[in-house]
Amino acid sequence: PAATLEAITHWYGPRRVGFLGRGVPTEPVLKDITLSFSSHSVNAILGLNGAGKSTLLKILSGVMAPKAGAVMLEDRPIKPGHRSVKKAIGLAIGTRSRLIWDLPPIETFRLHRAIYAIDAGNFGRTMAEVEEIFAIRDFIFRPTRSLSLGQRVRVEVALAMIHRPRLLLLDECSIGLDLMAKEAYHAAISHIAKDWGTCVVQATNDLADIRAGIAKIAILAHNRIVFDGSFRDLTTVPGFSRTATVECDEAEVGPLVARLSAHGIAAEPDRNGALRIRADGLEDLNACVLDCVRESAPSVRSIRFGTE
């Protein structure tokens, strides 16, 4: 494994009771977390706000030390202050930008070149690669304030890759991206994992980020890991559903519902008139819905697939 967490437990300092009262220990944010991630893979840590995702990434990046447990990058411990290990880690946080508002992003790239002591040849080659992978070449010389949210996110992730880390950590980096920008974002990090051999770990609470190409999904709830497995494993968990929303002419809704029912798929119109489809444990829902639409609803206006 490229990165390993062994029995990680963490809590933040004691809570004071009264003005000068005694400290009362707080509840653990993370409790007995054990995970491993392999190289050449994209992985996801999924959980609601406050589940401990960001804390787990900070520990994995060496920004903070856990109260108990060990963190390893390959065969070396990750601890605050270990600069040689930190050079092998890249971190991007969606809610905290490292770009300078009035300067173009290229100046921040040059600053990181100095911080990581990257020689001119390696810097030039890596810049050329990330400019192509993240499609940022057209705007890295414009002031940051003139960039859209999607453009800034792509620059932030590219910046985390400028020293070619073996472990890339992404904390809620896809927040606010539209459909096209999100597809480009996922294609870029998949390319990084496959071609650079990087282990990518992204923390998210957006189910749209959970897709079949992800090697491992870990779900955090109640301070613990409640699921650790592949996307295929997740589809077999009770309560997991694949969904589809179809917009078509009203006259075609009935025939489409009948066709879907023949395949054992439940469907019903929602309040906006679109057809809402859900299926538990059906791996080929997308293909089945498309086939039914071709046969029964030729005037379809849109189809959206998702998960619940």
Side-chain angles (χ1 to χ4, degrees), residues 245-258:
T245 303
V246 179
E247 295 183 359
C248 60
D249 288 348
E250 186 176 353
E252 297 176 346
V253 170
L256 181 55
V257 170

Side-chain angles (χ1 to χ4, degrees), residues 12-17 21-27:
Y12 292 102
R15 175 171 53 88
R16 292 289 173 184
V17 178
R22 61 185 178 85
V24 177
T26 58
E27 288 293 320

Side-chain angles (χ1 to χ4, degrees), residues 47-296:
L48 300 176
N49 292 335
K53 304 185 302 296
S54 296
T55 299
L56 193 60
L57 286 198
K58 288 175 184 176
I59 291 172
L60 193 52
S61 67
V63 171
M64 65 168 62
K67 300 296 184 184
V71 190
M72 306 290 289
L73 178 60
E74 295 173 348
D75 58 346
R76 304 171 67 185
I78 300 175
K79 294 181 179 179
H82 283 208
R83 296 185 63 186
S84 60
V85 175
K86 287 184 179 179
K87 284 187 176 181
I89 300 172
L91 174 65
I93 301 176
T95 56
R96 294 186 182 181
S97 176
R98 291 166 295 175
L99 302 176
I100 302 170
W101 194 244
D102 291 318
L103 295 180
I106 188 62
E107 297 300 334
T108 309
F109 279 100
R110 290 167 179 161
L111 173 62
H112 278 63
R113 175 196 166 188
I115 291 172
Y116 287 100
I118 307 170
D119 64 67
N122 286 333
F123 178 75
R125 285 190 292 273
T126 304
M127 275 300 304
E129 286 189 64
V130 298
E131 285 175 6
E132 181 178 357
I133 293 168
F134 293 97
I136 61 176
R137 186 171 295 148
D138 294 338
F139 51 79
I140 57 172
F141 292 95
R142 287 163 39 193
T144 298
R145 65 174 180 272
S146 68
L147 305 185
S148 68
L149 174 61
Q151 290 171 334
R152 293 200 303 272
V153 167
R154 278 147 53 198
V155 170
E156 291 280 0
V157 179
L159 186 60
M161 290 300 303
I162 197 62
H163 58 293
R164 304 186 81 94
R166 300 197 300 276
L167 175 63
L168 175 63
L169 306 174
L170 306 174
D171 189 4
E172 304 281 9
C173 287
S174 63
I175 289 178
L177 298 184
D178 60 34
L179 179 62
M180 297 301 293
K182 188 165 289 191
E183 288 300 319
Y185 164 82
H186 285 293
I189 63 175
S190 295
H191 177 90
I192 289 293
K194 181 180 178 181
D195 291 3
W196 290 27
T198 305
C199 173
V200 180
V201 181
Q202 54 178 338
T204 182
N205 56 17
D206 185 357
L207 283 173
D209 291 335
I210 305 304
R211 49 191 65 206
I214 291 181
K216 172 176 285 195
I217 299 168
I219 300 179
L220 267 174
H222 310 297
N223 312 324
R224 296 177 181 271
I225 296 292
V226 296
F227 176 85
D228 178 9
S230 66
F231 182 83
R232 183 181 292 271
D233 295 333
L234 184 61
T235 62
T236 65
V237 172
F240 180 93
S241 298
R242 293 173 179 268
T243 64
T245 303
V246 179
E247 295 183 359
C248 60
D249 288 348
E250 186 176 353
E252 297 176 346
V253 170
L256 181 55
V257 170
R259 176 67 65 177
L260 290 166
S261 298
H263 290 274
I265 301 174
E268 59 182 13
D270 63 14
R271 65 181 62 183
N272 298 319
L275 194 62
R276 182 73 170 168
I277 301 165
R278 288 187 58 181
D280 299 335
L282 182 63
E283 292 187 11
D284 59 347
L285 175 69
N286 294 20
C288 188
V289 169
L290 289 174
D291 288 342
C292 293
V293 165
R294 291 189 188 100
E295 296 171 2
S296 306

Side-chain angles (χ1 to χ4, degrees), residues 2-15:
T4 306
L5 297 142
E6 299 176 357
I8 296 296
T9 298
H10 188 75
W11 62 88
Y12 292 102
R15 175 171 53 88

